[in-house]
Amino acid sequence: MPARNPEATKARILDAAVGEFAAHGFAGARVERVARRAATNIRMIYAYFGSKDSLFDAALVDSVRSMAAAVPPTTDDLPGWAGRLFDYHGRAPAAMRISLWAQLERPQAASEPMESYLAKTAQVAAAASSPLPAVDLLTIIYAVAQAWYLTPVGLLSADGSDPSDDVRIAAHRAALVTAIRRMVEGQAEHG
């Protein structure tokens, strides 16, 4: 019989929880499905995380930290960073989805600034030559980077294009990078 590995079990539970909460939100998520996906039992989930609320909060923090590690801000190239955020959301949408669920269902879970947000804000404030406050600048960049994935398909296809076409996605990415570049450069010129 293999030895138990508590850290591996906890990591599997957290990974399964991120997927479950990103797909179904807090109310729709089922701890039973998390246990099944993690190849463990419900008792272990409660032993490690205490409650469904705590499991959601841990999944939210984990997904945001994963995104922060995968796409750290590049203050000398905020437009390029916006493009990389766009790419990340396309290939790993869990952080964006679970953050949206948190805003809708558990705003208290997202109300405290996580250290990753505090670090990004401090970096941007120290390096960006924008008269906009760092929080506002980051908020705008995040909003623009996520917009394609949050916009109704009817609008995305209003020009007759297929919004899932790789060429169309690349064109949108280029447009968002250009928009952020113009905003940042325009702010620097007027600052």
Side-chain angles (χ1 to χ4, degrees):
M1 177 190 231
R4 290 183 186 214
N5 183 337
E7 290 306 311
T9 301
K10 189 174 181 180
R12 283 195 325 272
I13 292 169
L14 195 53
D15 185 57
V18 167
E20 179 72 8
F21 288 122
H24 302 286
F26 180 78
R30 299 292 172 258
V31 176
E32 297 83 13
R33 286 193 300 248
V34 173
R36 200 169 33 254
R37 284 182 184 177
T40 192
N41 59 58
I42 295 170
R43 183 178 50 81
M44 293 306 296
I45 293 172
Y46 287 109
Y48 285 115
F49 295 96
S51 67
K52 183 178 175 183
D53 296 48
S54 295
L55 181 61
F56 180 89
D57 295 351
L60 173 65
V61 169
D62 182 70
S63 63
V64 170
R65 281 183 182 155
S66 294
M67 181 182 68
V71 193
T74 49
T75 54
D76 61 333
D77 183 17
L78 290 174
W81 179 56
R84 288 186 297 282
L85 280 171
F86 174 82
D87 297 340
Y88 183 84
H89 292 312
R91 73 177 176 274
M96 177 179 59
R97 289 179 180 167
I98 200 168
S99 293
L100 290 170
W101 282 115
Q103 291 297 325
L104 292 170
E105 297 181 310
R106 288 187 46 77
Q108 69 277 15
S111 65
E112 291 296 319
M114 292 181 212
E115 64 276 356
S116 61
Y117 291 136
L118 295 172
K120 286 177 191 175
T121 303
Q123 274 185 286
V124 169
S129 59
S130 172
L132 291 176
V135 170
D136 293 344
L137 185 57
L138 285 169
T139 299
I140 292 167
I141 291 171
Y142 277 120
V144 172
Q146 295 172 354
W148 183 262
Y149 304 107
L150 303 176
T151 299
V153 174
L155 175 55
L156 297 178
S157 59
D159 62 358
S161 66
D162 175 2
S164 64
D165 179 69
D166 289 342
V167 172
R168 180 62 184 106
I169 292 170
H172 176 75
R173 184 193 192 279
L176 82 88
V177 169
T178 298
I180 296 298
R181 180 170 290 114
R182 288 181 179 166
M183 183 190 74
V184 171
E185 289 173 359
Q187 289 295 321
E189 290 170 7
H190 295 97

